[in-house]
Amino acid sequence: MLFFSYFKELVGKEVTVELKNDLEIRGTLHSVDQYLNIKLENTRVVDQDKYPHMLSVRNCFIRGSVVRYVQLPPDGVDIDILHDATRREARGA
Amino acid sequence: MAAEEESAVKEPLDLIRLSLDERIYVKLRSDRELRGKLHAYDQHLNMILGDVEEIITTVEIDDETYEEIVRTTRRTVPFLFVRGDGVILVSPPLRTA
């Protein structure tokens, strides 16, 4: 549940989701769930000329399993909190 | 009296725990590699890395000579979440020339 909690903290921030099909979508994180499915608002495709499929899409739901990376704002969450949470999670799992 | 924190290395995930806040090398599917500082991970090998360099390796075959041209593309990302299902291996950074 570590990353679920982390993403909940990031709701409202701008992120770039890179999918496994190489599509990169930039948007505001609206919500996330336990499967790390993501809902983005105000979306824009990063390379619009290469991927014109979603020119008119402004909000989307992304299945967690198709995500490769999420580029995050560096000031999203305190790094030390992340380290402590990871140590606790690693012990419990 | 607080219990002593169990920091013994018992299973492979404990080995990764030793690399927290250290730089690591990650081999991913689709001929990708990452080098960055490990900030968080879970049992699925979902990870958060800082100051990451991504290296994508592609091999092109020349139509006439059939020689293999190996290309690498690099980019850097300040803070990155990596989904665990793409991870193949995690290691301390390799010492290459």
Side-chain angles (χ1 to χ4, degrees), chain A residues 3-17:
Chain A
F3 291 99
F4 178 34
S5 308
Y6 171 75
F7 279 117
K8 279 196 285 189
E9 291 290 311
L10 280 191
V11 166
K13 300 262 173 35
E14 275 266 299
V15 296
T16 302
V17 182

Side-chain angles (χ1 to χ4, degrees), chain B residues 20-94:
Chain B
L20 253 187
D21 205 28
E22 307 281 343
R23 292 200 71 81
I24 55 164
Y25 164 83
V26 183
K27 189 187 217 292
L28 301 171
R29 301 184 70 178
S30 306
D31 300 310
R32 285 164 196 258
E33 299 161 285
L34 297 173
R35 277 192 173 76
K37 198 174 219 201
L38 180 64
H39 289 307
Y41 71 95
D42 65 7
Q43 69 272 32
H44 304 294
L45 260 37
N46 294 325
M47 289 185 271
I48 289 183
L49 300 175
D51 290 321
V52 201
E53 187 193 21
E54 180 197 31
I55 304 166
I56 308 169
T57 304
T58 50
V59 182
E60 289 172 23
I61 301 184
D62 190 291
D63 289 332
E64 296 145 37
T65 66
Y66 292 101
E67 86 178 278
E68 292 182 353
I69 313 161
V70 180
R71 277 188 224 285
T72 61
T73 322
R74 283 160 206 260
R75 66 167 168 172
T76 52
V77 181
F79 213 61
L80 189 73
F81 166 81
V82 182
R83 191 171 163 92
D85 56 12
V87 174
I88 295 174
L89 69 84
V90 178
S91 152
L94 305 163

Side-chain angles (χ1 to χ4, degrees), chain A residues 5-46:
Chain A
S5 308
Y6 171 75
F7 279 117
K8 279 196 285 189
E9 291 290 311
L10 280 191
V11 166
K13 300 262 173 35
E14 275 266 299
V15 296
T16 302
V17 182
E18 180 174 329
L19 306 181
K20 292 191 164 105
N21 66 355
D22 292 340
L23 191 56
E24 283 182 76
I25 306 170
R26 184 153 189 84
T28 311
L29 185 62
H30 173 270
S31 54
V32 70
D33 68 11
Q34 54 171 318
Y35 306 109
L36 305 184
N37 295 327
I38 290 168
K39 269 182 117 171
L40 291 180
E41 300 213 310
N42 253 314
T43 55
R44 294 275 192 284
V45 173
V46 168

